Amino acid sequence: QGGVRRMATPAFRSEQQESQGDGQYRSVSGLAVSGLVLGLLSVVALAHPGAWAFPGLAISCSLFALIRIGQQSDVLSGRKLAVAGLLLGLFFGVWATTRYFSERWIVTEQAQDFVEDWLQAVLDGDLESAHQATLEFYLREPEGTRLKEYYANDSEQLSLLQEYFSEGMAKTLADLGERGEFRFDRTMLRRKELDSQIIGLRYFIYPRGGDVPIVNLHIEALMDLRDDGVYWTILGMDDAEILDRRRTY
C-alpha cells in the first residue's frame, strides 16, 4: 500500500525519442527534409507548367528518402517527413496537370465553336454578323441590334464590311456561300499572353457534297478574358498550304 507508484509509460514516442531509438542517435534524412520543402513549394505548379518540376522533385526526393531510411533505419529517421513530401508532391502535381489540360481542352472547344459559328454565318450570307466578330469587342454593336439595317444606314461600316470580304480567304468563303461546307482538320497554334490566348485552327472547305477540298483554311481566333466575361474575335485567316511553306504559324 505504501509503495511508490510508477508512472505509466506513454503509448506514443516523440519524434526526438524515435530518432534516438535505444540510446542511439539517428540523424534526420536530408532527402526527407528536401522532399518536404519541395512538396510545400509544389503549390507554384498551379501557376505555370514551367513549375511542374517542383512536384516531380518532391516525389523523387521523398521516394529516395524512404528507400534510404528503410535501408538504414538504425542511423536515419524522418520517414514522416518523407511521406508528407511525397503526398504534397503527388497532390499538387496531379492538381496542376489536370487543371492545365482541362483548361486547354475547354478553351480549344470554345474556340472551335466560335470559329464554326463564324464560318457558318459567312456561308449562310450573314456577312454583317460575321464582320462584327472580326472587330474588337468594344467596337461591336450591342446584342439585339438589327445589323442589316445598321450597316445599310452606316456607309463607313458598310464600306469596311465590303472591303473585308472583297479579298483573300474571306472573299473565297463569301463567294462560295451556301454551296460550301467545312470540316474540322486540327488545332495548329496556341499562344498565351496574360489574359488572352490565340488559337489557330485548320478547316477543309469543300463544295457541298464534294469529297475534294477547295482549300485548307488556317484561321486564328483571339480569346480575351475580361471582368465582365470572355470575348472571342476572328483575327485573320489564310491558305494553310501557303503558311506551311512559309512556316509562319
Side-chain angles (χ1 to χ4, degrees), residues 3-231:
V4 178
R5 285 180 145 189
R6 288 190 174 184
M7 296 285 292
T9 303
F12 64 90
R13 303 174 73 184
S14 69
E15 189 74 26
Q16 182 180 5
Q17 289 172 325
E18 182 181 338
S19 67
Q20 291 174 341
D22 298 328
Q24 181 181 1
Y25 175 76
R26 293 190 297 160
S27 61
V28 178
S29 168
L31 279 173
V33 174
S34 298
L36 177 60
V37 172
L38 289 167
L40 293 171
L41 291 175
S42 294
V43 66
V44 301
L46 298 172
H48 193 275
W52 288 359
F54 284 101
L57 290 171
I59 293 169
S60 299
C61 284
S62 298
L63 286 175
F64 280 122
L66 288 172
I67 293 172
R68 290 195 62 185
I69 292 170
Q71 293 173 340
Q72 305 176 36
S73 58
D74 55 333
V75 294
L76 282 179
S77 67
R79 184 176 182 278
K80 292 179 180 178
L81 300 180
V83 170
L86 176 63
L87 293 177
L88 286 169
L90 287 171
F91 175 73
F92 287 117
V94 171
W95 185 4
T97 53
T98 302
R99 177 183 173 184
Y100 175 78
F101 286 110
S102 62
E103 285 181 356
R104 280 176 62 95
W105 181 81
I106 291 170
V107 169
T108 302
E109 287 292 302
Q110 289 179 353
Q112 189 173 340
D113 288 344
F114 174 73
V115 168
E116 291 182 3
D117 286 346
W118 185 84
L119 287 171
Q120 194 61 57
V122 175
L123 295 177
D124 288 344
D126 187 6
L127 302 185
E128 294 82 9
S129 296
H131 183 252
Q132 285 285 302
T134 66
L135 305 175
E136 295 187 59
F137 69 93
Y138 56 84
L139 296 175
R140 299 174 192 173
E141 291 302 302
E143 288 189 22
T145 300
R146 296 182 178 180
L147 293 176
K148 289 190 181 295
E149 293 181 10
Y150 166 74
Y151 278 92
N153 295 325
D154 191 321
S155 58
E156 181 181 354
Q157 290 299 318
L158 180 60
S159 176
L160 291 173
L161 180 150
Q162 292 171 341
E163 181 182 352
Y164 185 85
F165 288 103
S166 66
E167 57 186 9
M169 290 293 101
K171 183 179 187 304
T172 300
L173 293 171
D175 290 346
L176 192 58
E178 294 183 352
R179 296 178 291 110
E181 61 183 14
F182 56 85
R183 299 172 196 171
F184 177 71
D185 181 14
R186 61 192 185 275
T187 303
M188 287 296 298
L189 171 73
R190 180 185 298 274
R191 291 199 301 268
K192 185 173 182 179
E193 299 175 4
L194 297 178
D195 292 329
S196 65
Q197 291 191 49
I198 297 175
I199 311 296
L201 304 172
R202 292 283 177 91
Y203 286 87
F204 288 113
I205 309 299
Y206 291 85
R208 187 168 295 279
D211 294 325
V212 180
I214 299 171
V215 67
N216 186 4
L217 180 69
H218 179 93
I219 185 166
E220 294 184 4
L222 169 70
M223 184 198 77
D224 268 316
L225 183 61
R226 302 286 174 172
D227 293 336
D228 58 342
V230 176
Y231 295 90

